[in-house]
Amino acid sequence: MTERTLTIIKPDGVQRHLAGRIIARFEEKGLQLVAAKLVQITEEMARRHYAAHKDKPFFEPAVKFMSAAPSLVMIWQGEGVINMSRKMIGSTFGFDAVAGTIRGDFGRSERYNLIHGSDSPESAEKEIEMFFAPDEILDYEFSDARWLYVQRGSPKK
Ligand code: ATP
Ligand code: MG
């Protein structure tokens, strides 16, 4: 099913000049960028974004980190994009994340892990609503879409 996910290149990713290289991985995978903006996330927004973790010891430091400098917030679209992008991002801690994933290749920290990706369709919907108005999300066709995958249910040649 075509899905959308909210992706955030976190302050460390922007500060370390890695935004372009991270975006390239999503482009190379054939995923479609349908919205993007550079955002100075406020502490209040970060608290809302990480509300599920409010009782954890890393909550306040994570809020401070996310609001310390601009983040690049994007929506990527594609079939199965939520799970696929979590796999591309890798597990939470850079020192643990498998090589070949974004966190595994670019970081080795617990907190400074470069990128966020929605973890379920429900969080994707909430997170997209938090950062984007409907008219900021664009609907357009890729000219090479038919070469990216055989659409389910379409005749296989
Ligand atoms: P994200 O939600 O940012 O995509 P995630 O789903 O892999 O990351 P979560 O468990 O949701 O991980 O944690 C949210 C964020 O809080 C992590 O990305 C990381 O920056 C920070 N964090 C999580 N656990 C720790 C920890 N033990 N120590 C320090 N920071 C942590
Ligand atoms: Mg998470």
Side-chain angles (χ1 to χ4, degrees), residues 50 53 86 116 119:
Y50 281 139
H53 300 303
R86 292 282 290 186
H116 162 81
D119 61 13

Side-chain angles (χ1 to χ4, degrees), residues 10 50 53 58 62 86 92-93 103 110-111 113 116-117:
K10 297 183 180 185
Y50 281 139
H53 300 303
F58 61 81
R86 292 282 290 186
T92 307
F93 304 144
R103 287 170 173 168
E110 289 171 331
R111 183 170 308 122
N113 58 7
H116 162 81

Side-chain angles (χ1 to χ4, degrees), residues 16-34:
R16 291 181 54 207
H17 319 279
L18 291 169
R21 291 172 72 181
I22 293 172
I23 289 171
R25 293 190 174 211
F26 285 77
E27 287 192 301
E28 286 162 353
K29 189 77 175 167
L31 296 167
Q32 188 179 28
L33 184 64
V34 295

